[in-house]
Amino acid sequence: MASLPAHPAHDDLRRRWASAVRDAPHADRYADDLLARWAEPQRRYHTTDHLLAVLDRVDELADHADDPDLVRLAAWFHDAVYLPERSTNEERSARLAERALPELGIGEADTAEVARLVRLTVTHDPADGDRNGEVLCDADLAVLAAAPDAYAAYAAAVREEYGFVPDDAFREGRAAVLRQLLGLPCLFRTPHGARVWEERARQNLTTELKLLETGAPGM
């Protein structure tokens, strides 16, 4: 395997991975494979920094989850396969988890739950009472509630990932995504997310949508 691009969080992430897989034999090899995936050159937003941010938000919301360790594993895999021009990333990421986790000694039921959670990030629409799903989806969407400058950087990174899409088509597609999100009765399902992130996220989404509709260059 080629050496990983340097990242200041790699050692910490390896330790967190080892804990998540209960120090399974050969855990480092699997960690390096996943970290290499998260560092692929086509990524601009779905990067190691995004993985780290989602894991941090899962830790922040852990008390709400039924099994936070499984949610952490799902965070590791949720964008492990990512090609921006494809719509099958979540399914392929779930299948990767289904192959890798049994090799690390993770049981059948726990592996199935991790894969289910990864697939849930297609819609970010967990069922009522799905506490693991609520935590993963809220952690993944927490960037929407970032401070304005950080949100602008997120939106710019998403545009870079879709650099192969012409501007008019991107604006139309992105605006449709934002309208769909704004049309949801709630963006966040955990009590913390609803209390702390909901209002700011809606402000950011509304601002970005207005800029897209007017053709403004940035937030």
Side-chain angles (χ1 to χ4, degrees), residues 151-163:
Y151 184 90
Y154 147 73
V158 170
R159 179 64 185 105
E160 287 184 37
E161 282 190 340
Y162 288 90

Side-chain angles (χ1 to χ4, degrees), residues 14-218:
R14 287 188 182 94
R15 286 192 292 271
R16 292 166 79 164
W17 167 258
S19 176
V21 297
R22 304 155 198 167
D23 294 309
H26 311 298
D28 285 349
R29 178 164 61 87
Y30 286 86
D32 286 346
D33 176 73
L34 286 166
L35 290 171
R37 290 173 179 274
W38 284 95
E40 291 165 340
Q42 76 275 14
R43 298 169 183 258
R44 295 296 183 270
Y45 169 65
H46 295 89
T47 63
T48 305
D49 287 332
H50 174 59
L51 169 63
L52 186 62
V54 173
L55 288 169
D56 285 346
R57 299 292 80 75
V58 170
D59 287 349
E60 191 173 350
L61 300 170
D63 287 347
H64 184 76
D66 289 327
D67 194 327
D69 286 339
L70 296 184
V71 182
R72 292 183 180 101
L73 284 175
W76 273 93
F77 281 97
H78 81 287
D79 282 318
V81 177
Y82 185 75
L83 293 170
E85 69 273 18
R86 295 189 180 178
S87 61
T88 57
N89 293 314
E90 293 86 359
E91 179 60 29
R92 295 175 68 203
S93 295
R95 291 180 183 177
L96 179 65
E98 289 169 336
R99 293 193 303 272
L101 292 177
E103 296 176 4
L104 287 159
I106 305 299
E108 182 178 350
D110 286 350
T111 295
E113 173 65 356
V114 171
R116 181 190 73 83
L117 291 169
V118 172
R119 291 183 172 103
L120 187 59
T121 61
V122 175
T123 62
H124 294 96
D125 187 20
D128 291 342
D130 178 5
R131 294 169 72 92
N132 287 342
E134 289 172 348
V135 169
L136 181 62
C137 290
D138 278 18
D140 197 24
L141 293 180
V143 65
L144 301 181
D149 286 351
Y151 184 90
Y154 147 73
V158 170
R159 179 64 185 105
E160 287 184 37
E161 282 190 340
Y162 288 90
F164 57 91
V165 178
D167 284 343
D168 287 348
F170 178 82
R171 282 196 296 270
E172 182 179 349
R174 180 68 176 170
V177 170
L178 299 180
R179 292 188 192 100
Q180 185 269 330
L181 289 169
L182 287 166
L184 295 173
C186 57
L187 294 166
F188 299 101
R189 308 296 183 88
T190 64
H192 178 87
R195 183 177 68 254
V196 179
W197 297 334
E198 184 81 20
E199 182 177 359
R200 167 59 70 184
R202 289 188 177 275
Q203 290 172 351
N204 285 333
L205 292 169
T206 299
T207 298
E208 185 186 359
L209 180 59
K210 288 179 180 177
L211 290 170
L212 289 169
E213 290 174 338
T214 60

